[in-house]
PDB file of all heavy atoms in Angstrom:
ATOM      1  N   MET A   1       0.848  -1.194   0.000  1.00 98.00           N
ATOM      2  CA  MET A   1       0.000   0.000   0.000  1.00 98.00           C
ATOM      3  C   MET A   1       0.884   1.244   0.000  1.00 98.00           C
ATOM      4  O   MET A   1       2.096   1.149   0.171  1.00 98.00           O
ATOM      5  CB  MET A   1      -0.889   0.016   1.235  1.00 98.00           C
ATOM      6  CG  MET A   1      -0.119   0.120   2.537  1.00 98.00           C
ATOM      7  SD  MET A   1      -0.962  -0.548   3.981  1.00 98.00           S
ATOM      8  CE  MET A   1      -0.906  -2.296   3.654  1.00 98.00           C
ATOM      9  N   VAL A   2       0.246   2.379  -0.165  1.00 98.00           N
ATOM     10  CA  VAL A   2       0.913   3.666  -0.005  1.00 98.00           C
ATOM     11  C   VAL A   2       0.291   4.335   1.214  1.00 98.00           C
ATOM     12  O   VAL A   2      -0.926   4.463   1.299  1.00 98.00           O
ATOM     13  CB  VAL A   2       0.742   4.554  -1.257  1.00 98.00           C
ATOM     14  CG1 VAL A   2       1.370   5.919  -1.030  1.00 98.00           C
ATOM     15  CG2 VAL A   2       1.333   3.877  -2.487  1.00 98.00           C
ATOM     16  N   ILE A   3       1.137   4.743   2.161  1.00 98.00           N
ATOM     17  CA  ILE A   3       0.676   5.409   3.376  1.00 98.00           C
ATOM     18  C   ILE A   3       1.064   6.871   3.286  1.00 98.00           C
ATOM     19  O   ILE A   3       2.245   7.196   3.144  1.00 98.00           O
ATOM     20  CB  ILE A   3       1.283   4.767   4.633  1.00 98.00           C
ATOM     21  CG1 ILE A   3       0.935   3.278   4.685  1.00 98.00           C
ATOM     22  CG2 ILE A   3       0.809   5.486   5.889  1.00 98.00           C
ATOM     23  CD1 ILE A   3       1.693   2.498   5.738  1.00 98.00           C
ATOM     24  N   GLU A   4       0.061   7.736   3.343  1.00 97.00           N
ATOM     25  CA  GLU A   4       0.299   9.177   3.262  1.00 97.00           C
ATOM     26  C   GLU A   4       0.102   9.807   4.644  1.00 97.00           C
ATOM     27  O   GLU A   4      -0.805   9.432   5.381  1.00 97.00           O
ATOM     28  CB  GLU A   4      -0.674   9.831   2.288  1.00 97.00           C
ATOM     29  CG  GLU A   4      -0.466   9.386   0.864  1.00 97.00           C
ATOM     30  CD  GLU A   4      -1.452  10.031  -0.108  1.00 97.00           C
ATOM     31  OE1 GLU A   4      -2.509  10.541   0.331  1.00 97.00           O
ATOM     32  OE2 GLU A   4      -1.154  10.016  -1.308  1.00 97.00           O
ATOM     33  N   ASN A   5       0.956  10.776   4.960  1.00 97.00           N
ATOM     34  CA  ASN A   5       0.874  11.506   6.219  1.00 97.00           C
ATOM     35  C   ASN A   5       0.684  12.986   5.891  1.00 97.00           C
ATOM     36  O   ASN A   5       1.612  13.660   5.458  1.00 97.00           O
ATOM     37  CB  ASN A   5       2.151  11.304   7.037  1.00 97.00           C
ATOM     38  CG  ASN A   5       2.151  12.053   8.344  1.00 97.00           C
ATOM     39  OD1 ASN A   5       1.206  12.759   8.682  1.00 97.00           O
ATOM     40  ND2 ASN A   5       3.232  11.912   9.095  1.00 97.00           N
ATOM     41  N   ALA A   6      -0.526  13.496   6.082  1.00 96.00           N
ATOM     42  CA  ALA A   6      -0.823  14.903   5.809  1.00 96.00           C
ATOM     43  C   ALA A   6      -0.517  15.793   7.011  1.00 96.00           C
ATOM     44  O   ALA A   6      -0.703  17.003   6.945  1.00 96.00           O
ATOM     45  CB  ALA A   6      -2.294  15.049   5.425  1.00 96.00           C
ATOM     46  N   GLY A   7      -0.036  15.205   8.091  1.00 94.00           N
ATOM     47  CA  GLY A   7       0.234  15.967   9.311  1.00 94.00           C
ATOM     48  C   GLY A   7       1.521  16.755   9.248  1.00 94.00           C
ATOM     49  O   GLY A   7       2.346  16.591   8.336  1.00 94.00           O
ATOM     50  N   ASP A   8       1.703  17.584  10.255  1.00 94.00           N
ATOM     51  CA  ASP A   8       2.898  18.430  10.356  1.00 94.00           C
ATOM     52  C   ASP A   8       4.052  17.728  11.051  1.00 94.00           C
ATOM     53  O   ASP A   8       5.149  18.286  11.125  1.00 94.00           O
ATOM     54  CB  ASP A   8       2.566  19.725  11.115  1.00 94.00           C
ATOM     55  CG  ASP A   8       1.613  20.609  10.332  1.00 94.00           C
ATOM     56  OD1 ASP A   8       1.637  20.559   9.081  1.00 94.00           O
ATOM     57  OD2 ASP A   8       0.835  21.350  10.971  1.00 94.00           O
ATOM     58  N   ALA A   9       3.822  16.523  11.573  1.00 95.00           N
ATOM     59  CA  ALA A   9       4.867  15.778  12.275  1.00 95.00           C
ATOM     60  C   ALA A   9       5.080  14.415  11.615  1.00 95.00           C
ATOM     61  O   ALA A   9       4.137  13.802  11.123  1.00 95.00           O
ATOM     62  CB  ALA A   9       4.473  15.584  13.731  1.00 95.00           C
ATOM     63  N   ASP A  10       6.339  13.974  11.595  1.00 96.00           N
ATOM     64  CA  ASP A  10       6.632  12.622  11.132  1.00 96.00           C
ATOM     65  C   ASP A  10       5.903  11.628  12.019  1.00 96.00           C
ATOM     66  O   ASP A  10       5.640  11.906  13.193  1.00 96.00           O
ATOM     67  CB  ASP A  10       8.133  12.340  11.216  1.00 96.00           C
ATOM     68  CG  ASP A  10       8.966  13.183  10.275  1.00 96.00           C
ATOM     69  OD1 ASP A  10       8.394  13.853   9.383  1.00 96.00           O
ATOM     70  OD2 ASP A  10      10.199  13.191  10.433  1.00 96.00           O
ATOM     71  N   ASP A  11       5.573  10.474  11.464  1.00 97.00           N
ATOM     72  CA  ASP A  11       4.973   9.405  12.254  1.00 97.00           C
ATOM     73  C   ASP A  11       5.722   8.127  11.919  1.00 97.00           C
ATOM     74  O   ASP A  11       6.577   8.108  11.026  1.00 97.00           O
ATOM     75  CB  ASP A  11       3.467   9.278  11.950  1.00 97.00           C
ATOM     76  CG  ASP A  11       2.672   8.719  13.127  1.00 97.00           C
ATOM     77  OD1 ASP A  11       3.271   8.063  14.001  1.00 97.00           O
ATOM     78  OD2 ASP A  11       1.451   8.929  13.160  1.00 97.00           O
ATOM     79  N   GLN A  12       5.422   7.053  12.608  1.00 97.00           N
ATOM     80  CA  GLN A  12       6.105   5.780  12.426  1.00 97.00           C
ATOM     81  C   GLN A  12       5.072   4.658  12.446  1.00 97.00           C
ATOM     82  O   GLN A  12       4.303   4.553  13.409  1.00 97.00           O
ATOM     83  CB  GLN A  12       7.121   5.590  13.562  1.00 97.00           C
ATOM     84  CG  GLN A  12       8.027   4.405  13.419  1.00 97.00           C
ATOM     85  CD  GLN A  12       9.272   4.690  12.611  1.00 97.00           C
ATOM     86  OE1 GLN A  12       9.523   5.828  12.223  1.00 97.00           O
ATOM     87  NE2 GLN A  12      10.032   3.662  12.319  1.00 97.00           N
ATOM     88  N   LEU A  13       5.026   3.859  11.388  1.00 98.00           N
ATOM     89  CA  LEU A  13       4.210   2.646  11.393  1.00 98.00           C
ATOM     90  C   LEU A  13       4.964   1.643  12.243  1.00 98.00           C
ATOM     91  O   LEU A  13       6.096   1.271  11.898  1.00 98.00           O
ATOM     92  CB  LEU A  13       4.007   2.119   9.974  1.00 98.00           C
ATOM     93  CG  LEU A  13       3.315   0.763   9.846  1.00 98.00           C
ATOM     94  CD1 LEU A  13       1.897   0.819  10.411  1.00 98.00           C
ATOM     95  CD2 LEU A  13       3.289   0.319   8.389  1.00 98.00           C
ATOM     96  N   ILE A  14       4.377   1.219  13.376  1.00 98.00           N
ATOM     97  CA  ILE A  14       5.111   0.377  14.320  1.00 98.00           C
ATOM     98  C   ILE A  14       4.557  -1.039  14.470  1.00 98.00           C
ATOM     99  O   ILE A  14       5.222  -1.892  15.050  1.00 98.00           O
ATOM    100  CB  ILE A  14       5.200   1.038  15.711  1.00 98.00           C
ATOM    101  CG1 ILE A  14       3.821   1.366  16.265  1.00 98.00           C
ATOM    102  CG2 ILE A  14       6.086   2.280  15.656  1.00 98.00           C
ATOM    103  CD1 ILE A  14       3.806   1.847  17.709  1.00 98.00           C
ATOM    104  N   ASP A  15       3.353  -1.293  13.928  1.00 98.00           N
ATOM    105  CA  ASP A  15       2.788  -2.632  14.093  1.00 98.00           C
ATOM    106  C   ASP A  15       1.637  -2.827  13.126  1.00 98.00           C
ATOM    107  O   ASP A  15       1.095  -1.855  12.584  1.00 98.00           O
ATOM    108  CB  ASP A  15       2.287  -2.822  15.530  1.00 98.00           C
ATOM    109  CG  ASP A  15       2.063  -4.280  15.910  1.00 98.00           C
ATOM    110  OD1 ASP A  15       2.542  -5.178  15.176  1.00 98.00           O
ATOM    111  OD2 ASP A  15       1.419  -4.534  16.943  1.00 98.00           O
ATOM    112  N   ALA A  16       1.277  -4.073  12.914  1.00 98.00           N
ATOM    113  CA  ALA A  16       0.133  -4.430  12.074  1.00 98.00           C
ATOM    114  C   ALA A  16      -0.503  -5.680  12.670  1.00 98.00           C
ATOM    115  O   ALA A  16       0.195  -6.542  13.212  1.00 98.00           O
ATOM    116  CB  ALA A  16       0.575  -4.679  10.642  1.00 98.00           C
ATOM    117  N   LYS A  17      -1.838  -5.750  12.564  1.00 98.00           N
ATOM    118  CA  LYS A  17      -2.582  -6.890  13.113  1.00 98.00           C
ATOM    119  C   LYS A  17      -3.705  -7.278  12.161  1.00 98.00           C
ATOM    120  O   LYS A  17      -4.309  -6.417  11.533  1.00 98.00           O
ATOM    121  CB  LYS A  17      -3.207  -6.534  14.459  1.00 98.00           C
ATOM    122  CG  LYS A  17      -2.268  -6.149  15.553  1.00 98.00           C
ATOM    123  CD  LYS A  17      -3.059  -5.762  16.796  1.00 98.00           C
ATOM    124  CE  LYS A  17      -2.342  -4.810  17.692  1.00 98.00           C
ATOM    125  NZ  LYS A  17      -2.245  -3.437  17.272  1.00 98.00           N
ATOM    126  N   SER A  18      -3.973  -8.577  12.095  1.00 98.00           N
ATOM    127  CA  SER A  18      -5.111  -9.079  11.344  1.00 98.00           C
ATOM    128  C   SER A  18      -5.489 -10.442  11.899  1.00 98.00           C
ATOM    129  O   SER A  18      -4.601 -11.229  12.275  1.00 98.00           O
ATOM    130  CB  SER A  18      -4.784  -9.198   9.858  1.00 98.00           C
ATOM    131  OG  SER A  18      -5.907  -9.697   9.155  1.00 98.00           O
ATOM    132  N   ASP A  19      -6.778 -10.715  11.910  1.00 97.00           N
ATOM    133  CA  ASP A  19      -7.264 -12.004  12.400  1.00 97.00           C
ATOM    134  C   ASP A  19      -6.977 -13.152  11.437  1.00 97.00           C
ATOM    135  O   ASP A  19      -7.156 -14.310  11.805  1.00 97.00           O
ATOM    136  CB  ASP A  19      -8.780 -11.940  12.642  1.00 97.00           C
ATOM    137  CG  ASP A  19      -9.135 -11.052  13.821  1.00 97.00           C
ATOM    138  OD1 ASP A  19      -8.259 -10.793  14.673  1.00 97.00           O
ATOM    139  OD2 ASP A  19     -10.294 -10.604  13.890  1.00 97.00           O
ATOM    140  N   ILE A  20      -6.541 -12.858  10.215  1.00 97.00           N
ATOM    141  CA  ILE A  20      -6.346 -13.936   9.242  1.00 97.00           C
ATOM    142  C   ILE A  20      -5.056 -14.718   9.466  1.00 97.00           C
ATOM    143  O   ILE A  20      -4.886 -15.781   8.872  1.00 97.00           O
ATOM    144  CB  ILE A  20      -6.388 -13.425   7.785  1.00 97.00           C
ATOM    145  CG1 ILE A  20      -5.198 -12.529   7.469  1.00 97.00           C
ATOM    146  CG2 ILE A  20      -7.708 -12.742   7.485  1.00 97.00           C
ATOM    147  CD1 ILE A  20      -4.969 -12.321   5.989  1.00 97.00           C
ATOM    148  N   ALA A  21      -4.129 -14.198  10.305  1.00 97.00           N
ATOM    149  CA  ALA A  21      -2.835 -14.871  10.477  1.00 97.00           C
ATOM    150  C   ALA A  21      -2.443 -14.964  11.948  1.00 97.00           C
ATOM    151  O   ALA A  21      -2.786 -14.104  12.751  1.00 97.00           O
ATOM    152  CB  ALA A  21      -1.761 -14.124   9.707  1.00 97.00           C
ATOM    153  N   ALA A  22      -1.694 -16.005  12.262  1.00 97.00           N
ATOM    154  CA  ALA A  22      -1.178 -16.171  13.620  1.00 97.00           C
ATOM    155  C   ALA A  22      -0.140 -15.102  13.930  1.00 97.00           C
ATOM    156  O   ALA A  22      -0.013 -14.657  15.070  1.00 97.00           O
ATOM    157  CB  ALA A  22      -0.563 -17.558  13.779  1.00 97.00           C
ATOM    158  N   LYS A  23       0.588 -14.659  12.907  1.00 97.00           N
ATOM    159  CA  LYS A  23       1.649 -13.676  13.106  1.00 97.00           C
ATOM    160  C   LYS A  23       1.620 -12.672  11.958  1.00 97.00           C
ATOM    161  O   LYS A  23       1.548 -13.059  10.790  1.00 97.00           O
ATOM    162  CB  LYS A  23       2.993 -14.397  13.135  1.00 97.00           C
ATOM    163  CG  LYS A  23       4.132 -13.613  13.678  1.00 97.00           C
ATOM    164  CD  LYS A  23       5.352 -14.532  13.763  1.00 97.00           C
ATOM    165  CE  LYS A  23       6.324 -14.013  14.774  1.00 97.00           C
ATOM    166  NZ  LYS A  23       7.513 -14.881  14.854  1.00 97.00           N
ATOM    167  N   VAL A  24       1.659 -11.380  12.304  1.00 98.00           N
ATOM    168  CA  VAL A  24       1.701 -10.314  11.309  1.00 98.00           C
ATOM    169  C   VAL A  24       2.881  -9.424  11.676  1.00 98.00           C
ATOM    170  O   VAL A  24       2.991  -8.968  12.817  1.00 98.00           O
ATOM    171  CB  VAL A  24       0.398  -9.491  11.296  1.00 98.00           C
ATOM    172  CG1 VAL A  24       0.457  -8.403  10.226  1.00 98.00           C
ATOM    173  CG2 VAL A  24      -0.812 -10.393  11.075  1.00 98.00           C
ATOM    174  N   GLU A  25       3.792  -9.214  10.722  1.00 98.00           N
ATOM    175  CA  GLU A  25       4.987  -8.426  10.992  1.00 98.00           C
ATOM    176  C   GLU A  25       5.246  -7.435   9.858  1.00 98.00           C
ATOM    177  O   GLU A  25       4.813  -7.652   8.726  1.00 98.00           O
ATOM    178  CB  GLU A  25       6.224  -9.331  11.114  1.00 98.00           C
ATOM    179  CG  GLU A  25       6.217 -10.230  12.305  1.00 98.00           C
ATOM    180  CD  GLU A  25       7.474 -11.095  12.412  1.00 98.00           C
ATOM    181  OE1 GLU A  25       8.214 -11.250  11.410  1.00 98.00           O
ATOM    182  OE2 GLU A  25       7.714 -11.619  13.503  1.00 98.00           O
TER     183      GLU A  25
END
């Protein structure tokens, strides 16, 4: 995907979760 940040501060994608998998990284 493409993640856009329209905010005035940097951000950090730090985790992801989904019920379809035992482990998401």
Side-chain angles (χ1 to χ4, degrees):
M1 64 205 71
V2 176
I3 303 169
E4 294 179 341
N5 179 359
D8 293 331
D10 294 349
D11 208 339
Q12 187 87 5
L13 173 62
I14 56 172
D15 197 14
K17 299 177 206 74
S18 180
D19 291 340
I20 67 164
K23 195 174 203 181
V24 181
E25 293 181 343

